[in-house]
Amino acid sequence: MKLAIVTLSLALAGVTAFAQAPATATLRGRITDPQGAAVPGAGVSLRSTATGVPREAVADGRGTFVLTDLAPGSYVVRAQAQAFAQKEYPPITLQVGQNAEVTLKLEAAALSEQVDVTQEVLTVQSLSSVVQGVLATNAIERLPLNGRNFMELAFLVPGNSPAPSFDPTKTNSVVVSSAGQLGRGGNVTLDGADDNDDVVGGPLQNLPQDAIQGFQIATNRFSAEIGRSGGSVINIVTKSGADTWKGAAAFYLRDKSLQGLPATADRSQGVPPFSRRQYALSLGGSLVEGKLFWFGAAEYRDQDGAVIVGQRDLATRTIRRRFAAAPLADFLGNTRLDWTPNGSNRVSLRYSIEDADDTGASTLDRSIGSASQRQASANRYHSVLGTWTRVVGSRSANTLSASWNRYRNRIEPTEPGRQLTFPSIQDGASFRVPQATDQDRAQASDTFTWALGAHALRFGAEVQRVEGAFHLGVFREGRVELVEDFPSFDHNGDGRVDDNDLLFAVTLRSGFPDRDLELPGCNNTHLAFFAQDDWRVRPQLTLNIGLRYELDTDVKNISQYGQINPLARPFLKGDRKRDGNNWAPRIGFNWSSKGGRTSAHGGYGIYYDRVTLEIVSLERGLDGRALPIEVRAGNVFFLDRATGRLPPFAPSLSSPFTGFPLPGAGASGINIIDNALQNPEVQQFNLGFETRVGADLVLRVDGLHNLGTHFIIGRWIGEVFNPVVGGPDQIKNLESSVNTKYDGLLVSAERSFGARHWLRASYTLSKAFNYANDDQIPFSNGPLDPNDLRREYGPTPNDQRHRFTFAGSFPLPGGLLASPLLTLASAVPMDILMPDASSRVPTLQRNAGGRRFKKAADLNAFLAQQNAAGGIGGVLLPLVSADAPFGDGFQSLDLRLSRRFKIGGRAVFEAMVECFNVLNATNILGVSNKNYSGYANVLVRDSEDPDHPGYLRSSRFGKAVSTAGGVFGSGGPRAFQLGARLTF
């Protein structure tokens, strides 16, 4: 029998859409005869190379077929039709969330008995308009990720960068800023299940790196199947077992002898006692051949770490840097069971656990904290997910999933005491701890997929029930707001100049210092449904049309509306109702050339961010009764300006809470949720193209414009007499009244050299603006002028105008494999604060350093002009050093070199050496959103004596305070890590 000459042309499109349970892929295609005409009725089957599980489809009258809800992995394609020989084609790999397209061209069997099979893989998107990036297993396994946290993979995709920390509960989390958002929003899913903290915000559970099958991030313009994000969606798919039993064991070691020191460290303090040991184990295989599969992975990180802290040196009047212990013990586990009784059903069950105990820096309002500003955290995570996919006929499928997760957080201070907030350093114990948060989530979703002619339809719905609680010991020990870093005069007349002579403006302490604030029942139910159609209008034109609706039942504290303080009720306008108009239409297009080498895409969509339950805690807790804050006068109110002396009864640092009450002066006030508060909304626009250059290089360019509205800010709107605090108290309205804006040019290039070798480069040119550094939870004092919010508009604290990454894996002589990861980025801006650090300079926009002012001379010219006009409220401002910087660019080259050795028939031993920051570049960068620049940003005077020249000089401004990654994180000082891995 003469066989066909068969050519298999695979046009592998990128992600066209997420599923509601987005741990799947889709393969669609068309079968033609030699003249390109359709072959109706042709049969197509896929067989997983890992499990042998088959899927089948029949081509319709147009010769097209669709296979939906496929598990990501490698598949062998088989096609057959009457008058054509059956043929099995080479394997193709489907990535998480991918919508791939193939064209199978069959020629007459009579032409030749020669079998000629060719495979051409094109990764140009021909079906979607989403802005995304996908990283497969080889990238996850090969790249030198510092700390082995999968979230860092997002930074390889343009439009994404690290976000400043906002979360006191999870100090070791990696938070991603996408398209200008600060990171509290976003959406992370594990096998389609929500993995986000609805109480505080940000991602929740980490996974063993060996458990991850695929990583996908949609930076912008994702389809209607996913919501709850005004930024990006990150989708993680875990590994399942295969017919063949396989496993791996690995060990990674870092030690102080392999570790450099940060540029801001005091070398006289020696090397911190650092070591990190990471153990990883995974195993998976078939329990019942072809039917039942199991996979499990575990990882444990045992780290004796350190953080850089500040220490006030009274003798030299400097803040010295030293190391403080920051140990971490983190266990990660994941196990998964997959049952495929037949080709029509697939059932999966997954359980994941994380148990983490660590010591780290507390949330800082200043550039650096002391050793006592550390906290001991205990985080416990558990999650269970069950998924059932049923294939209904050859062109439709249904996926039903249910999940439950639990998160418990407990934080204690490492040392008890009150917080001492100096202009340049945060000392004492954080007023935010002790505290604890609880979250339980139950989630169910269902998605039906139907291939109807030229339409790929998806319909679905989901429901989530989130139950949260807050246990807050905040303000129990109190907080002292000092106006100078060091004493400058013997104010108390005891013959010494020491800390009892320090001047402070106010003190703040709970009116009930003997009890915690308990806020149970902070609950919410989230409902959503969607419809999505990827319509192939023409062979070269696809429209992506979707509509999503979302509803949150109680993020506005509706259930406790009757408990609001009656003093605040006159400030509430209208009725409080659920935000019920969250309709999110999305439309996009993709036009591809006839040869499939180039495509153009674009679109528009509306996206809604989640409102965290922390907003509810502000209205319930800071209601003027549950947690009244006693604000008392500091000793500056008692100072004799003529003599500089303090009377004996004046408060001092040793007894600070004896001043007379100052109700409402700097306190949190009475917080109310505006009745018209809405979910933040982002309108996303994109336009771009993708093209294949040469044989194996794909270039993608996207232009983005995002406009966010209804973002949350806290604004003072009035004052009442509060008998609980014994005086006037301000009303802070939590309202949806500010915007965000992001404009970006995103460029990426990918090249593949086979299954194991690849290169990826990305570049982002962007500008990001918003109205607050607090990322939707208004803890700060609020706008300078509550009646003119336009004064708050400025660059985001993490606005990086330029960002470039390069990563890859390629062979070297001698059997070595090199995997580099290079990151280059421009500086973030700096907020410029008043000498007492109480606010920014009020005549400047937020984050003016490095944006409005490029050099210190520019700032000094402005300050001199300000002083010539009388200063700020009659107070003259000091000038800064001529070489004071505002920010530092970022550069880091990480590299892994590895060599494999075969042992016997199946086992492979791999030796690895990793070097982080190979060039030992100094990267000055902060941690907190209060000052992400990493440089001292307070105009602290060299002298508090108005007659001294140092009164108008701030030599400490612009001094480097902290480095990226702290002591041992990404971008930190050069460090080596040794590793060994055995696969079998």
Side-chain angles (χ1 to χ4, degrees):
M1 177 180 178
K2 295 183 178 180
L3 302 179
I5 297 177
V6 187
T7 302
L8 172 63
S9 300
L10 301 178
L12 291 182
V15 181
T16 188
F18 287 99
Q20 187 60 45
T24 60
T26 298
L27 179 69
R28 65 170 70 188
R30 186 168 182 261
I31 303 176
T32 69
D33 65 12
Q35 286 72 43
V39 182
V44 178
S45 68
L46 259 68
R47 179 175 53 84
S48 168
T49 60
T51 64
V53 174
R55 284 283 302 274
E56 297 180 347
V58 177
D60 62 12
R62 297 157 45 113
T64 64
F65 66 91
V66 178
L67 289 161
T68 65
D69 294 82
L70 297 166
S74 177
Y75 289 88
V76 172
V77 183
R78 179 180 295 164
Q80 61 182 5
Q82 188 174 2
F84 297 95
Q86 175 179 305
K87 186 60 190 176
E88 187 174 281
Y89 302 99
I92 62 172
T93 299
L94 299 178
Q95 305 290 357
V96 50
Q98 194 173 30
N99 192 332
E101 183 179 38
V102 303
T103 299
L104 309 179
K105 185 177 181 181
L106 304 178
E107 298 193 9
L111 291 178
S112 173
E113 295 186 4
Q114 174 73 29
V115 179
D116 184 9
V117 181
T118 62
Q119 179 179 10
E120 180 182 314
V121 179
L122 305 175
T123 56
V124 172
Q125 292 188 132
S126 61
L127 300 172
S128 85
S129 53
V130 69
V131 180
Q132 56 82 39
V134 178
L135 288 96
T137 305
N138 59 357
I140 298 170
E141 292 179 348
R142 293 291 166 201
L143 287 175
L145 299 180
N146 194 339
R148 292 171 57 82
N149 191 313
F150 67 84
M151 291 291 289
E152 293 195 2
L153 294 168
F155 305 143
L156 301 180
V157 179
N160 300 281
S161 62
S165 173
F166 60 84
D167 183 0
T169 65
K170 300 177 289 295
T171 57
N172 283 285
S173 291
V174 174
V175 183
V176 178
S177 168
S178 298
Q181 301 301 328
L182 286 181
R184 194 182 291 270
N187 192 353
V188 180
T189 67
L190 301 181
D191 293 322
D194 198 310
D195 185 45
N196 301 278
D197 187 346
D198 273 49
V199 175
V200 177
L204 274 179
Q205 190 169 9
N206 198 0
L207 289 177
Q209 187 168 312
D210 289 343
I212 299 174
Q213 170 74 21
F215 176 97
Q216 177 192 45
I217 179 169
T219 306
N220 241 54
R221 285 277 303 108
F222 43 91
S223 71
E225 289 130 300
I226 284 289
R228 305 205 80 188
S229 174
S232 65
V233 171
I234 294 176
N235 180 26
I236 308 299
V237 172
T238 59
K239 290 180 181 177
S240 61
D243 265 336
T244 303
W245 280 89
K246 296 181 180 180
F251 173 67
Y252 302 88
L253 173 68
R254 284 177 64 177
D255 185 81
K256 64 179 181 180
S257 60
L258 306 174
Q259 172 75 46
L261 293 178
T264 57
D266 185 346
R267 266 54 179 175
S268 66
Q269 298 293 316
V271 179
F274 170 75
S275 66
R276 175 193 288 166
R277 297 163 295 278
Q278 289 180 273
Y279 310 87
L281 180 67
S282 62
L283 180 66
S286 173
L287 299 177
V288 178
E289 185 176 357
K291 300 291 184 181
L292 188 62
F293 309 92
W294 175 82
F295 185 87
E299 187 167 324
Y300 179 68
R301 177 167 48 160
D302 182 16
Q303 177 174 300
D304 297 320
V307 293
I308 292 183
V309 297
Q311 184 175 17
R312 297 172 57 253
D313 188 328
L314 189 59
T316 61
R317 298 179 63 83
T318 59
I319 297 173
R320 300 175 63 88
R321 309 288 192 271
R322 67 181 186 88
F323 296 104
L328 167 67
D330 190 7
F331 173 77
L332 310 170
N334 186 79
T335 184
R336 173 171 167 165
L337 194 67
D338 291 88
W339 179 41
T340 55
N342 49 55
S344 298
N345 291 276
R346 184 176 74 249
V347 178
S348 299
L349 181 65
R350 174 179 60 80
Y351 169 70
S352 302
I353 181 175
E354 182 175 6
D355 192 332
D357 295 284
D358 74 278
T359 299
S362 298
T363 300
L364 298 177
D365 298 315
R366 296 295 183 262
S367 300
I368 195 169
S370 66
S372 58
Q373 278 283 324
R374 291 174 300 148
Q375 61 186 36
S377 303
N379 291 297
R380 306 290 183 264
Y381 312 80
H382 300 271
S383 65
V384 179
L385 168 68
T387 303
W388 174 32
T389 298
R390 175 162 179 79
V391 178
V392 184
S394 63
R395 304 185 70 81
S396 61
N398 190 81
T399 297
L400 175 67
S401 68
S403 65
W404 171 86
N405 61 53
R406 165 167 287 182
Y407 169 56
R408 295 292 184 267
N409 164 259
R410 301 291 182 269
I411 308 174
E412 296 288 340
T414 56
E415 301 178 26
R418 63 184 67 100
Q419 176 169 312
L420 306 176
T421 310
F422 292 90
S424 301
I425 185 174
Q426 198 163 297
D427 205 350
S430 173
F431 75 92
R432 296 181 173 91
V433 293
Q435 66 165 270
T437 56
D438 303 336
Q439 176 180 296
D440 291 299
R441 183 201 313 274
Q443 178 182 5
S445 64
D446 188 81
T447 300
F448 180 73
T449 305
W450 184 21
L452 180 63
H455 299 269
L457 303 170
R458 298 179 77 89
F459 308 93
E462 74 164 312
V463 58
Q464 294 187 29
R465 174 64 177 177
V466 178
E467 297 183 349
F470 298 83
H471 316 279
L472 306 174
V474 296
F475 282 108
R476 286 185 58 175
E477 297 294 333
R479 172 174 173 172
V480 182
E481 302 296 301
L482 295 107
V483 299
E484 55 185 349
D485 287 330
F486 300 98
S488 56
F489 185 76
D490 180 16
H491 293 296
N492 62 9
D494 63 357
R496 301 188 304 271
V497 177
D498 56 23
D499 278 355
N500 274 323
D501 295 300
L502 282 168
L503 299 178
F504 52 96
V506 296
T507 63
L508 300 91
R509 188 169 62 168
S510 170
F512 305 118
D514 57 340
R515 73 186 193 198
D516 289 349
L517 173 64
E518 297 288 340
L519 298 174
C522 296
N523 307 329
N524 176 53
T525 299
H526 173 77
L527 304 168
F529 61 82
F530 73 90
Q532 177 73 31
D533 181 12
D534 298 315
W535 177 22
R536 197 65 176 265
V537 181
R538 297 281 187 273
Q540 296 169 245
L541 176 63
T542 300
L543 295 182
N544 312 123
I545 305 169
L547 179 65
R548 182 178 180 85
Y549 177 77
E550 299 179 1
L551 176 68
D552 289 301
T553 62
D554 208 12
V555 294
K556 295 170 63 174
N557 197 29
I558 293 175
S559 62
Q560 298 290 318
Y561 188 60
Q563 305 300 316
I564 291 175
N565 193 331
L567 297 174
R569 284 195 170 275
F571 296 91
L572 291 167
K573 309 300 181 185
D575 297 326
R576 180 169 295 187
K577 299 178 181 179
R578 296 165 181 163
D579 183 13
N581 62 345
N582 291 337
W583 294 95
R586 299 162 194 184
I587 184 168
F589 75 91
N590 187 299
W591 175 89
S592 60
S593 62
K594 287 187 177 181
R597 299 181 66 90
T598 300
S599 69
H601 55 265
Y604 166 81
I606 294 177
Y607 302 81
Y608 294 99
D609 219 336
R610 72 184 72 209
V611 176
T612 63
L613 295 174
E614 198 164 358
I615 288 290
V616 173
S617 76
L618 294 179
E619 182 171 79
R620 292 191 190 179
L622 301 179
D623 70 342
R625 301 170 300 182
L627 182 64
I629 305 298
E630 292 183 350
V631 183
R632 294 183 175 272
N635 55 15
V636 294
F637 286 88
F638 299 82
L639 187 66
D640 187 326
R641 300 293 177 179
T643 64
R645 297 291 187 183
L646 291 169
F649 54 84
S652 66
L653 201 61
S654 59
S655 181
F657 301 111
T658 59
F660 53 85
L662 291 174
S668 56
I670 299 175
N671 284 221
I672 57 174
I673 297 175
D674 192 276
N675 282 348
L677 184 132
Q678 304 176 53
N679 288 78
E681 174 188 305
V682 180
Q683 299 179 69
Q684 299 182 359
F685 305 80
N686 77 302
L687 183 64
F689 71 89
E690 190 169 355
T691 186
R692 181 176 176 184
V693 182
D696 51 16
L697 176 67
V698 174
L699 175 68
R700 177 170 180 137
V701 179
D702 281 288
L704 306 186
H705 173 69
N706 290 358
L707 176 63
T709 57
H710 307 143
F711 276 69
I712 300 171
I713 196 170
R715 185 171 65 93
W716 302 113
I717 60 172
E719 189 176 87
V720 296
F721 180 84
N722 186 357
V724 176
V725 300
D729 216 349
Q730 297 188 69
I731 303 294
K732 179 186 282 189
N733 196 44
L734 310 181
E735 59 189 41
S736 301
S737 57
V738 294
N739 299 342
T740 66
K741 188 177 77 168
Y742 177 84
D743 291 300
L745 175 67
L746 281 54
V747 182
S748 64
E750 296 180 59
R751 184 177 181 183
S752 175
F753 301 91
R756 293 177 55 196
H757 308 136
W758 52 275
L759 298 174
R760 171 191 290 265
S762 70
Y763 170 73
T764 304
L765 171 66
S766 64
K767 290 184 177 182
F769 295 88
N770 67 4
Y771 280 77
N773 292 346
D774 280 326
D775 197 12
Q776 301 194 58
I777 303 298
F779 279 127
S780 64
N781 291 332
L784 292 173
D785 184 351
N787 297 313
D788 187 5
L789 295 180
R790 292 174 299 177
R791 293 179 60 183
E792 303 304 310
Y793 186 70
T796 63
N798 63 326
D799 174 44
Q800 283 183 330
R801 297 295 165 84
H802 304 274
R803 184 175 178 85
F804 173 81
T805 64
F806 172 84
S809 184
F810 49 85
L812 295 177
L816 292 175
L817 186 67
S819 301
L821 198 168
L822 172 67
T823 303
L824 305 173
S826 57
V828 299
M830 173 201 283
D831 222 7
I832 300 173
L833 305 188
M834 292 288 290
D836 62 357
S838 59
S839 72
R840 75 175 187 271
V841 176
T843 50
L844 291 178
Q845 71 170 174
R846 283 185 313 108
N847 302 317
R851 295 299 180 262
R852 175 176 175 178
F853 306 118
K854 304 297 184 182
K855 300 180 297 183
D858 301 331
L859 175 59
N860 282 335
F862 169 82
L863 294 173
Q865 183 181 24
Q866 191 73 48
N867 289 342
I872 303 296
V875 177
L876 302 183
L877 300 177
L879 305 187
V880 304
S881 301
D883 59 350
F886 300 115
D888 186 27
F890 182 96
Q891 55 178 315
S892 181
L893 172 63
D894 301 337
L895 178 65
R896 172 190 285 186
L897 294 176
S898 62
R899 175 72 159 85
R900 290 185 166 190
F901 303 89
K902 288 188 176 181
I903 304 175
R906 291 183 54 190
V908 176
F909 175 79
E910 183 177 14
M912 293 170 280
V913 176
E914 295 178 327
C915 183
F916 304 107
N917 196 357
V918 173
L919 304 178
N920 202 28
T922 297
N923 297 303
I924 305 300
L925 194 66
V927 176
S928 167
N929 53 3
K930 304 297 183 182
N931 179 19
Y932 197 46
S933 74
Y935 289 97
N937 66 333
V938 182
L939 294 170
V940 176
R941 305 181 191 278
D942 290 356
S943 172
E944 294 298 324
D945 182 359
D947 297 325
H948 192 281
Y951 185 77
L952 293 179
R953 185 174 62 241
S954 179
S955 58
R956 273 176 272 172
F957 181 92
K959 298 298 182 184
V961 176
S962 60
T963 57
V967 181
F968 309 112
S970 298
R974 182 193 295 129
F976 290 89
Q977 178 167 280
L978 306 179
R981 179 182 174 89
L982 178 67
T983 57
F984 51 89

